[in-house]
Amino acid sequence: MKPSTYAFILSALAGLSTLLGTIFIFFPIKKKNILLVASLSFAAGVMLTVSFSDLVPTSISSLNQTFYPIPSILIMLISFVIGIILSMTIDRKMPDQQNHLKRVGLIAMLAIILHNIPEGIATYLTSSNNMKLGITLTIAIALHNIPEGISISIPIYYATKNKGRAFLYTLISGLSEPFGAIIATLFLSQWITPAMMGILYAIIAGIMTHIALYELLPTSWKYQQTKKTITFFILGIIVMLLSHILL
């Protein structure tokens, strides 16, 4: 097979790993509040860590290829704030205000779709040029995507009591990664610039930070299990930091 074919397969595998986050909805758990608290706070820790240990540094690094360091940081900060404002706007426009859990799941799905598309582009372009590095990147992204799948499937399932819908929404978010690879193949491989990717990564970091601090953590906090919220939030941070160190 051509390198481009392997690159697309790796992008698809990275994206579909999101579905592993749905495993908890297929096992009966008596104390659902514990699962909700754990999954929401863990996902919040993951999203914040991905934003500040991955997306923000990658944004600055990409922007530095076009601009001097100070302008790069300023552009990143402006883009980051734009991401927060965009997330706040989406939150206000989101339906199902009476069903908070469902709204949390839907907002998480939209954010992860926005996150996965450039990840798919990056995985495809990296794997096309360096297969070994592409495989390492795929493993790292897959580890990130599992808790992101949890942040979609658990709220949707407990809000709707529908496993199929929770699985479908998670699948849609996972498919956005190979969709990014298709975009790279058809349109972007020759036209996309590091500056464009840098701005996009910063916007996504702002979106994910807002969701983690405004939606996921406060929703977990509502169940009044403070120790569990803090414990799983820290655990999410540790898991992501370890994945960066090991990979």
Side-chain angles (χ1 to χ4, degrees):
M1 288 190 290
K2 296 179 179 180
S4 59
T5 304
Y6 284 113
F8 179 79
I9 291 172
L10 289 175
S11 298
L13 289 174
L16 293 176
S17 65
T18 309
L19 291 174
L20 294 176
T22 67
I23 190 171
F24 296 103
I25 68 176
F26 294 101
F27 295 95
I29 297 176
K30 293 181 181 179
K31 297 181 179 180
K32 74 169 187 177
N33 285 359
I34 294 177
L35 180 59
L36 282 169
V37 168
S39 61
L40 292 171
S41 54
F42 183 83
V46 167
M47 284 193 178
L48 277 181
T49 307
V50 168
S51 295
F52 289 100
S53 70
D54 188 0
L55 294 174
V56 167
T58 303
S59 171
I60 294 174
S61 177
S62 298
L63 290 166
N64 279 340
Q65 296 182 45
T66 305
F67 306 101
Y68 288 110
I70 298 301
S72 294
I73 293 172
L74 289 174
I75 293 170
M76 183 278 294
L77 289 173
I78 292 169
S79 302
F80 185 86
V81 172
I82 289 172
I84 293 174
I85 294 171
L86 179 60
S87 183
M88 292 172 64
T89 303
I90 293 172
D91 185 59
R92 290 194 183 100
K93 300 295 183 180
M94 187 64 64
D96 294 297
Q97 295 293 325
Q98 301 299 320
N99 193 334
H100 185 71
L101 270 181
K102 184 177 180 181
R103 194 172 85 252
V104 168
L106 290 173
I107 291 171
M109 181 185 73
L110 290 174
I112 291 167
I113 286 173
L114 292 173
H115 178 210
N116 283 355
I117 290 174
E119 269 191 358
I121 294 170
T123 304
Y124 178 84
L125 295 178
T126 302
S127 303
S128 297
N129 294 289
N130 187 327
M131 184 58 64
K132 184 177 180 180
L133 181 59
I135 292 172
T136 302
L137 181 62
T138 299
I139 294 171
I141 290 174
L143 289 175
H144 292 178
N145 284 350
I146 294 170
E148 289 174 359
I150 293 172
S151 72
I152 300 171
S153 61
I154 297 298
I156 293 294
Y157 172 63
Y158 282 111
T160 64
K161 308 300 181 184
N162 189 319
K163 294 178 182 176
R165 185 175 297 179
F167 185 87
L168 177 62
Y169 287 1
T170 310
L171 174 63
I172 291 171
S173 71
L175 289 175
S176 62
E177 199 132 344
F179 178 70
I182 292 172
I183 292 175
T185 304
L186 298 178
F187 306 109
L188 299 180
S189 56
Q190 295 181 347
W191 303 105
I192 196 164
T193 65
M196 289 169 58
M197 291 300 294
I199 292 170
L200 184 57
Y201 280 128
I203 290 173
I204 295 165
I207 291 172
M208 296 187 78
T209 298
H210 176 261
I211 289 171
L213 296 179
Y214 187 78
E215 291 288 350
L216 297 176
L217 266 184
T219 304
S220 176
W221 210 267
K222 285 182 179 179
Y223 292 93
Q224 298 181 343
Q225 298 187 39
T226 305
K227 289 183 179 179
K228 289 185 176 63
T229 296
I230 295 173
T231 298
F232 281 96
F233 176 72
I234 294 173
L235 184 61
I237 294 174
I238 291 172
V239 167
M240 286 299 101
L241 290 177
L242 285 176
S243 73
H244 281 298
I245 293 170
L246 295 175
L247 297 173

